[in-house]
Every structure is written in C-alpha cells, then in structure tokens.
Amino acid sequence: MSVNPVDFRQIEAFVVLAEELHFGRAAARLHLTAGRVSQLIRLFERQVGEPLFARTSRKVELLAAGEALLTEMEPCYRELLHAIDNARARARGVSGTLRLGYIITIGLARAHMYVSAFEREYPGVSVSTHPLNGFGSELDQALREGVVDLFLLWFPGNPVDYADLEPELSFGPTLLISSRALAVSAEHPLAQRDSVDAEELADYEVIMPPPTFPSWFVDAWSPPTTPSGRPIRRRSVVAEWGVDAAVDAIVRTRLVHLATSLRVEGLARPGVVLIPVTGLPEAHLVPVHRAEADSALIRRFVDVAMRA
C-alpha cells in the first residue's frame, strides 16, 4: 500500500497543537480555522498509523505516541524554521548595525564568540560592542536610554521569575548558566576551602551591590538571609559597582563578594580567590533590551547566541 508524503502543514499543526493542547489557540497561531487544524491532525495521524492526541469536548491531551514523536520531531522542525528564516533574511539583504553592550564579567572571549557567529551568519550586519566594567548608572543608562540595542548581563536566578518587575525591559532567554562563587582575599580564612555552603554566609560580611539597581535585583544577587533564614550582614562599599572597585574592597578588607563561578574568567587579580558556593540559585547570562525596542536584528542575534 502506497503512503502519501507528509505535508509540512501537517507537521506544523502537530507541533503547534502539541504545544498549545487547544485547537482554538493552535488555529490562531497557524492562521487557520480550528476545523482545518483538526483535519490536518487526522491526516497526519493516518500517515503515522496511530492516534497522537486524545480529544474530548473539553480538552486535548498528547498521547505517549505523540510525546515520543514530538521529542524526535521538534528539534528538526525548529531547525527547518530557522533555515527558512535565514533564507528570507538573505533574500531581503538584512543589513544595519546592532549595538551590543555587555558586562565584562561574561568574558571578552564569550562576547566576541557571539558577535563573530552572528556576523558570519549575517554578513550584512555590523555589530558595535560596548563593554562595561560593572553595575551602576552607566549600565542603567545603556539599558534604559537606548545607548545600546541589546545588553548581555548576569542575572541572579531565572529571569522568568522577575519579568513582571521591570515591564519596560525584556529579559532572556538564558544563554548560559553558572553556579555561584565567593570571591575572597587570599588571606581570608575561607581562601583554602574547596567550597562554601550558603548557610555560612551568615558568619561573614558580604559586599552589597550599590543602590543603583532595583532592590529586588540587589536582594536576589546578594540575599539578605541564608536559605534557612539566618540574616546576612551586607555592606555597601562603593557608589558605582565595577570589577576594580570590587577587587579593591575584597583585597583590603575581610569582606566577601558573591559572584559567579565564571566571574573572573580572564579577569583574575592577584590576591583574590574564587570559591564555589552551594545552596544558592544559579546565575543566568541573559540578553536584555527595552521591550519597546524589540527588532528582527535583536531576535536574530539572540537566536545565534543560543546556538553558539
């Protein structure tokens, strides 16, 4: 018995319905009627040879066969959409300039890896880079006043949890995840340790980021209490936050600084030791831009960075 070739619309309908589990929402995304989506799914199930969804009048569920097929098919589907998008971009002759800011603690090599990968894929686009030494008014200006189109920033935890707190900014998706670490002076009692538990932070003074960032960000990056609720003594030692200022405070005092495990990659300073911290949420490297300034160039850069 001959089998007709699978139509791309059937694959698209399957993937979208598997994500939405609702014919109406799937139809809206596909710009089709719910009846047409249902027809495409029936044809696809006939091609596969077994049901992929369980439907009732009130809900749609993905069956085990559908879950298995989605696991194998979705990455291929995404790659195909990406290839089509790239082809369209090339056909349109995508060009222009993307102004990329980044915090230098992500590492110069990593920032340039993202830029190089993007410029290879979109040779008609020029990327200008704007590295910043740390947190402060300069970074706030870069993000909020349009000095850069896109900024790469270490974020304290999953940015999804904080999206509603800064509605004028768009966070994510996550490009890289790093465990947390403690930067201390080589003379500090903790300097010889292999790791430090978050509960031990209550026994030391921790450098607190300055108030140039929102309080929710400061508290997420350098929490006021340990996971069990013990208070952590925090001290703000500089008005503007930067690598050099942080290193100076660490070396000349017994204060400790919460960083990421990649925090001093390429930025090592004599007299500073980095110790892994357990028990704290991981840090996420995320792209940030003004929500109103979303653009195709920003989306394409983020897509390339995700794959780099």
Side-chain angles (χ1 to χ4, degrees), residues 22 54-60:
H22 188 281
R55 301 100 145 157
T56 69
S57 59
R58 290 189 291 183
K59 64 180 180 178
V60 178

Side-chain angles (χ1 to χ4, degrees), residues 181-182 184 188-207 222-234 254-258 275-280:
L182 202 62
V184 303
H188 196 280
L190 293 174
Q192 304 304 315
R193 295 274 297 275
D194 293 329
S195 65
V196 176
D197 187 79
E199 288 299 324
E200 297 180 79
L201 296 176
D203 300 326
Y204 302 93
E205 270 198 298
V206 178
I207 297 176
S222 183
T225 63
T226 67
S228 70
R230 296 175 65 198
I232 297 175
R233 291 170 293 154
R234 303 183 298 171
R254 295 176 67 86
L255 272 69
V256 300
H257 170 54
L258 277 168
I275 310 161
V277 174
T278 59
L280 289 180

